[in-house]
Amino acid sequence: MVKNYTSLLLFSITRTCFLCTSNMLTAQEVKIFKVSDFDLKGSVKTCLVVTNYGKEEFDFNKNGLLTKSITRYNEVDYDLTLYKYNLGNLEEKRVEIYREGIFDPVTSFANFYTFDSTASKKITERIISYSKEFLGQNEYRYDSIGRLSSIKHVDKDGIDETEISYMQFKGETTVNYILNGVIIKSVRTAKKKNKTGADQKIVLTKEFLKGEPDKALEQIFDSSNKLISEIKFMPTEQNKGFVPYEYINHSYNEFGMLAETKIKGTKAEETKKYLYQYDGEHGNWIKQIVTPDNTYTTRRIMYYTTTEKKD
């Protein structure tokens, strides 16, 4: 997976805008974030990420689960998210918004999760604002082998239900997401060998708007699950399918970090190179420089001590 600070920023945006629309909630499984999701390894306790557009702070427990994150836009504007777990399951998530140094109860909210595994697994998520307003509820149901099978979203505007189906054909697996009877996304996964005989995974994701083609993305992963190429598609003029418009290739350095990205569009080509400084002992990068943009990201990482890990 290609990971740099952009993914962390997108994570913050997704978290802040989580309640923008009911459709965005649809077809999204409950996600527990771990140390590895932030391109970190080892017994990380905290990680401060600094860029030219803000700061991100992440705290993890001894099991490597994210317990707190802070997105700082400046000294007085920031978002605080707190995560609470029970036996490894996400039990509560609170998003607190501060502007001009003042807590805003209207835009702040909390997500509460309850688990029912008496028959097939079910997770219920209730979303309440800090001003005590009910914002919505999601009910996630899973099949007998633990795959997400449906999501029911309820809010003041009504009920939306997404059904998720799984099909296998000639070694390929296709997952279809059907919102209120209309397809919104299809994900097809296949495993093949490249010209040298190495294993590859090919994932083709198609998205639809009101049942019509909207966009598509083909991703190819190598045997270590690193993203090596992408093709972006747009609908045809007749809206009967998709045509490619952008090709992206990724390469990695000897430490498995993203080293170069080549982007070829319909009119231009672009190459980005990634340079790193590492902390040595743990193998995590502490500074990333992207050229030719000459943007940089630094990380200050603290680790649990041996004594703390045994507690």
Side-chain angles (χ1 to χ4, degrees):
M1 187 179 212
V2 175
K3 296 179 181 178
N4 52 43
Y5 186 73
T6 302
S7 65
L8 305 186
L9 179 63
L10 290 176
F11 163 64
S12 301
I13 293 172
T14 301
R15 184 183 68 240
T16 303
C17 299
F18 190 66
L19 298 173
C20 292
T21 66
S22 62
N23 284 347
M24 194 175 83
L25 291 171
T26 306
Q28 291 192 3
E29 192 169 3
V30 177
K31 173 66 176 176
I32 293 179
F33 292 97
K34 303 177 182 179
V35 165
S36 57
D37 293 313
F38 298 89
D39 197 16
L40 292 164
K41 52 189 175 183
S43 301
V44 176
K45 186 175 185 179
T46 64
C47 179
L48 171 63
V49 185
V50 182
T51 72
N52 58 342
Y53 45 77
K55 298 179 181 179
E56 291 273 3
E57 301 173 32
F58 302 97
D59 289 11
F60 302 91
N61 63 19
K62 296 173 187 177
N63 294 320
L65 302 180
L66 181 66
T67 58
K68 182 174 73 174
S69 65
I70 304 176
T71 303
R72 296 190 183 276
Y73 308 103
N74 51 53
E75 292 301 321
V76 293
D77 297 328
Y78 60 95
D79 302 342
L80 167 66
T81 305
L82 301 169
Y83 300 85
K84 182 180 178 181
Y85 303 92
N86 182 19
L87 299 176
N89 294 315
L90 183 61
E91 185 176 60
E92 184 179 309
K93 179 177 70 174
R94 293 181 177 270
V95 179
E96 300 180 355
I97 310 299
Y98 294 82
R99 296 295 179 264
E100 299 295 328
I102 300 173
F103 172 68
D104 185 356
V106 177
T107 58
S108 301
F109 59 91
N111 302 58
F112 301 96
Y113 302 87
T114 57
F115 298 82
D116 181 0
S117 57
T118 53
S120 57
K121 179 182 175 182
K122 181 179 76 172
I123 300 175
T124 302
E125 174 187 33
R126 288 177 56 83
I127 309 165
I128 310 292
S129 75
Y130 272 61
S131 56
K132 306 301 181 183
E133 179 186 0
F134 172 76
L135 299 176
Q137 175 174 300
N138 295 309
E139 183 180 277
Y140 306 87
R141 289 186 176 272
Y142 298 78
D143 63 18
S144 59
I145 59 175
R147 301 178 303 186
L148 184 65
S149 60
S150 68
I151 304 174
K152 181 186 289 186
H153 175 73
V154 181
D155 61 20
K156 62 181 180 180
D157 296 322
I159 300 175
D160 289 313
E161 188 157 3
T162 301
E163 296 292 336
I164 299 114
S165 64
Y166 301 83
M167 297 183 297
Q168 290 191 340
F169 180 71
K170 293 185 177 181
E172 298 182 347
T173 300
T174 301
V175 184
N176 291 318
Y177 298 81
I178 310 295
L179 173 62
N180 299 330
V182 179
I183 188 166
I184 58 171
K185 185 167 71 171
S186 174
V187 182
R188 187 182 69 197
T189 303
K191 292 184 178 181
K192 297 181 179 180
K193 293 185 180 295
N194 63 14
K195 295 179 180 179
T196 64
D199 292 330
Q200 287 185 335
K201 181 175 68 175
I202 304 172
V203 180
L204 176 61
T205 302
K206 298 179 180 179
E207 296 186 30
F208 302 85
L209 183 62
K210 296 181 179 179
E212 298 293 337
D214 183 44
K215 58 185 177 180
L217 175 67
E218 181 185 85
Q219 299 172 299
I220 299 180
F221 300 84
D222 65 14
S223 57
S224 59
N225 206 37
K226 290 189 180 299
L227 179 61
I228 56 175
S229 70
E230 302 173 83
I231 304 176
K232 295 182 179 181
F233 298 83
M234 70 175 93
T236 62
E237 292 184 1
Q238 298 78 20
N239 216 26
K240 298 298 182 181
F242 297 95
V243 292
Y245 71 91
E246 187 173 86
Y247 299 83
I248 306 172
N249 290 290
H250 307 285
S251 59
Y252 299 83
N253 62 23
E254 66 272 24
F255 301 106
M257 300 300 303
L258 179 64
E260 184 178 87
T261 295
K262 293 183 177 181
I263 305 171
K264 182 179 180 180
T266 54
K267 296 182 179 180
E269 295 186 21
E270 179 184 7
T271 298
K272 292 187 176 183
K273 294 183 181 294
Y274 300 82
L275 305 173
Y276 303 91
Q277 292 179 4
Y278 299 89
D279 63 3
E281 181 181 356
H282 300 276
N284 285 311
W285 64 266
I286 53 176
K287 186 171 184 178
Q288 178 197 68
I289 302 172
V290 183
T291 62
D293 304 346
N294 289 325
T295 58
Y296 69 90
T297 301
T298 60
R299 304 197 300 185
R300 293 201 287 269
I301 306 169
M302 294 184 63
Y303 299 87
Y304 283 102
T305 64
T306 304
T307 303
E308 288 176 311
K309 287 187 286 185
K310 290 181 179 180
D311 289 344

